[in-house]
């Protein structure tokens, strides 16, 4: 914080002990600890540091190691263009290894192709919900990486429109993989469905849904009786649109359970998870853990009122006051 005597037109006085012989260049250099912290910062934080001073700007722009793993996340996702992406990836000096683009609608097939042409050693390519990309364009990009070095081992394609089984088969044939990667199952939770899941080591995130035959995220069931099916498949393995799943445990929910486990929010819960949650004191419906912040009139005892019941009570009071 600036001293109380400092103003916009009059800079604060120099610190005590700073004589005429002090090095002006040394006082402007960023601390060594801050330079070490640059390697742990996200893109938005790196760009902010680069605007802080000349020393940090040179440190951020001049170290290719900081840019070998680039992740573009909200709120930058909707602002990044082909030109901006190319400028950022060029800072890696052709040694980009991991590119994560989370919901970047302004990145096109041509723009992404230019990036990988300058960085053929990419091993991870995550482009979930990048609606400016096409299935045909991604096949060409992955084909290029395969022909150059063949080191691409993980891709994320959730949310790419018009992806077909043919596209998926071609991409699967071009990715380096191990038997351990293929053996990993995918269980549903809201974070996996909506947010980039970097802990998933599978080579590709999407699959052909056995129920609707569309290429989407396909989830395995967490219920023990479903997982013990002899042939390894069950009727409840499918995408989010084909199989209703519990928001808490990820298990499948049948139609009978859906009718008995109503929630105060828009998610689903199985009966076991539904019974464990506190209920609205008016309608006896719980919120799932993801929407627990929506509780109103919350008491220390845990009792609360859901938003729908609160709005209904407010509307009744308004009608009574009007009469």
């Amino acid at each position: 914080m600036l001293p109380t005597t400092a103003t916009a037109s009059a800079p604060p006085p120099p610190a005590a002990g700073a004589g005429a012989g002090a090095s002006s260049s040394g006082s402007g250099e960023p601390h060594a600890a801050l330079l070490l912290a640059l390697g742990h910062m996200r893109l938005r934080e790196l760009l902010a540091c680069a605007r802080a001073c000349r020393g940090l700007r040179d440190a951020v722009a001049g170290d290719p190691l900081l840019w070998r793993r680039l992740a573009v996340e909200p709120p930058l996702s909707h602002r990044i263009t082909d030109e901006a992406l190319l400028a950022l990836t060029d800072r890696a000096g052709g040694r980009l290894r991991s590119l994560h683009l989370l919901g970047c609608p302004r990145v096109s097939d041509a723009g992404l192709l230019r990036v990988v042409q300058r960085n053929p050693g990419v091993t991870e390519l995550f482009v979930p919900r990048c609606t400016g990309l096409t299935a045909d364009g991604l096949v060409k990009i992955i084909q290029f990486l395969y022909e150059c070095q063949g080191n691409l081992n993980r891709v994320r394609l959730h949310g790419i429109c018009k992806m077909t089984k043919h596209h998926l088969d071609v991409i699967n044939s071009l990715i380096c993989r191990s038997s351990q990667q293929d053996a990993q199952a995918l269980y549903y939770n809201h974070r996996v469905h909506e947010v980039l899941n970097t802990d998933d080591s599978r080579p590709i995130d999407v699959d052909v849904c056995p129920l609707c035959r569309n290429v989407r995220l396909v989830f395995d069931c967490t219920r023990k009786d479903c997982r013990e099916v002899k042939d390894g498949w069950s009727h409840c393995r499918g995408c989010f649109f084909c199989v209703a799943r519990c928001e808490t445990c990820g298990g499948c929910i049948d139609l009978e359970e859906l009718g008995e486990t109503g929630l105060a929010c828009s998610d689903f819960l199985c009966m076991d998870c539904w019974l464990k949650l506190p209920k609205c004191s008016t309608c006896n419906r719980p919120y799932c853990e993801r929407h627990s912040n929506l509780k109103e009139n919350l008491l220390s005892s845990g009792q609360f009122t859901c938003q729908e019941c609160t709005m209904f009570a407010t509307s009744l009071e308004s009608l009574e006051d009007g009469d």
Side-chain angles (χ1 to χ4, degrees), residues 205-321:
D205 58 338
V206 293
D207 199 355
V208 177
C209 175
L211 301 178
C212 67
R213 311 308 299 175
N214 290 313
V215 177
R216 291 172 176 156
L217 291 178
V218 177
F219 301 102
D220 297 277
C221 191
T222 59
R223 294 195 178 197
K224 184 178 180 181
D225 53 346
C226 294
R227 289 187 282 113
E228 291 179 348
V229 175
K230 293 182 179 180
D231 59 2
W233 294 81
S234 66
H235 65 282
C236 59
R237 185 178 188 272
C239 68
F240 174 79
F241 298 97
C242 293
V243 180
R245 299 199 179 276
C246 176
E247 181 65 31
T248 300
C249 69
C252 62
I253 308 174
D254 57 32
L255 293 178
E256 184 178 352
E257 271 188 305
L258 283 177
E260 297 175 352
T261 57
L263 297 182
C265 56
S266 59
D267 290 323
F268 303 132
L269 289 179
C270 67
M271 180 59 73
D272 291 340
C273 295
W274 186 87
L275 291 172
K276 298 176 183 178
L277 295 176
K279 314 296 189 295
C280 171
S281 58
T282 302
C283 66
N284 197 39
R285 295 183 303 168
Y287 279 112
C288 68
E289 294 181 2
R290 189 166 66 94
H291 293 109
S292 60
N293 62 312
L294 300 179
K295 296 177 182 178
E296 298 188 1
N297 305 321
L298 183 61
L299 302 178
S300 57
S301 61
Q303 291 183 325
F304 69 93
T305 306
C306 69
Q307 286 188 335
E308 185 175 343
C309 291
T310 301
M311 293 175 61
F312 182 72
T314 302
S315 61
L316 284 180
E317 292 177 358
S318 300
L319 289 175
E320 293 175 357
D321 293 340

Side-chain angles (χ1 to χ4, degrees), residues 146-160:
Y146 175 80
E147 293 174 352
C148 287
Q149 296 189 16
N151 293 327
L152 184 66
N153 54 49
R154 286 210 297 169
V155 295
R156 296 294 177 264
L157 307 173
H158 170 51
I160 301 299

